[in-house]
Amino acid sequence: MRHEVVVPVKSFRTAKQRLAPALTPLERAELARHMATAVLRAARPLLVWVACDDPEVADWARSEGARIIWTAGLGLNGAVSYATNYVFSLGAERLTVVHGDLPLATGFLWVQRQRGIVLVPDRKGGGTNLVSLPKGASFQFSYGPGSFRRHYISAWLSGLDIYIWRPKELCFDVDLPEDLAYLRLLSTNT
């Protein structure tokens, strides 16, 4: 089965604005790059596509062995929908969309054993960190606050089996200063 991964990545320079109270712009950019690198490396050996609209991100992604899907002006939902359609049109049979702000990310090969739609919420249960679906699935991406509920409803409406997984390494994303504090705590305890 041809299983591929799409990682949407916004400009490192403008990423993680909600961390401004805790980090300088340079620190936020470095953190965004570090987390996205962890996600791309965790996706190996699968073919990885980075959906982006920033030349610096595109250069970085190529240096990490990823392919680029240019998604300028589409916003997150539009970029992910476009990238998903594009990758499926090239022959992928399963596609996993995973976000680039998962510093603890590990491999995604386990996803391909599922036949339906796989959802991984963030650790608070409101956002969606990973969506995996087979080719031909009727599914609408709807990121933003409360996305997990909307994604669950879309998966249910597809008529396919739904698998909800909560591996801590994929549920933990970094959006707010308290997430950063938790990450620092984890790194000092390992």
Side-chain angles (χ1 to χ4, degrees):
M1 172 192 301
R2 214 169 120 192
H3 177 197
E4 300 181 16
V5 175
V6 168
V7 182
V9 179
K10 70 189 305 186
S11 167
F12 296 131
R13 287 172 276 120
T14 61
K16 299 298 166 191
Q17 294 295 316
R18 291 184 286 174
L19 293 175
L23 298 175
T24 68
L26 179 60
E27 289 170 327
R28 291 193 310 270
E30 288 174 2
L31 177 64
R33 181 188 296 264
H34 174 76
M35 291 188 297
T37 300
V39 171
L40 265 56
R41 291 178 181 175
R44 292 179 183 150
L46 300 173
L47 178 62
V48 179
W49 297 84
V50 170
C52 66
D53 63 359
D54 181 83
E56 178 188 3
V57 170
D59 289 345
W60 158 82
R62 284 186 198 95
S63 76
E64 287 293 327
R67 295 184 183 179
I68 306 305
I69 301 173
W70 198 254
T71 55
L74 298 178
L76 179 57
N77 291 312
V80 170
S81 295
Y82 177 82
T84 299
N85 291 332
Y86 180 75
V87 173
F88 278 137
S89 77
L90 295 178
E93 298 167 89
R94 173 166 281 282
L95 182 69
T96 297
V97 176
V98 63
H99 291 278
D101 62 350
L102 309 176
L104 308 177
T106 59
F108 312 119
L109 288 176
W110 58 271
V111 172
Q112 65 193 17
R113 294 190 301 266
Q114 310 308 318
R115 296 204 187 285
I117 296 175
V118 177
L119 300 173
V120 174
D122 65 17
R123 77 180 197 280
K124 297 170 188 168
T128 313
N129 289 348
L130 181 147
V131 175
S132 185
L133 54 149
K135 185 174 187 170
S138 173
F139 186 85
Q140 183 171 344
F141 291 97
S142 183
Y143 292 104
S147 70
F148 184 74
R149 182 175 188 276
R150 291 188 302 279
H151 286 146
Y152 180 84
I153 290 169
S154 185
W156 183 79
L157 290 171
S158 78
L160 297 172
D161 291 337
I162 304 168
Y163 302 91
I164 299 173
W165 294 85
R166 290 182 174 85
K168 67 179 178 182
E169 59 276 356
L170 296 177
C171 289
F172 180 69
D173 56 359
V174 176
D175 290 321
L176 302 171
E178 56 262 27
D179 300 329
L180 191 59
Y182 185 67
L183 179 61
R184 287 179 179 143
L185 178 67
L186 288 176
S187 65
T188 60
N189 290 331
T190 37

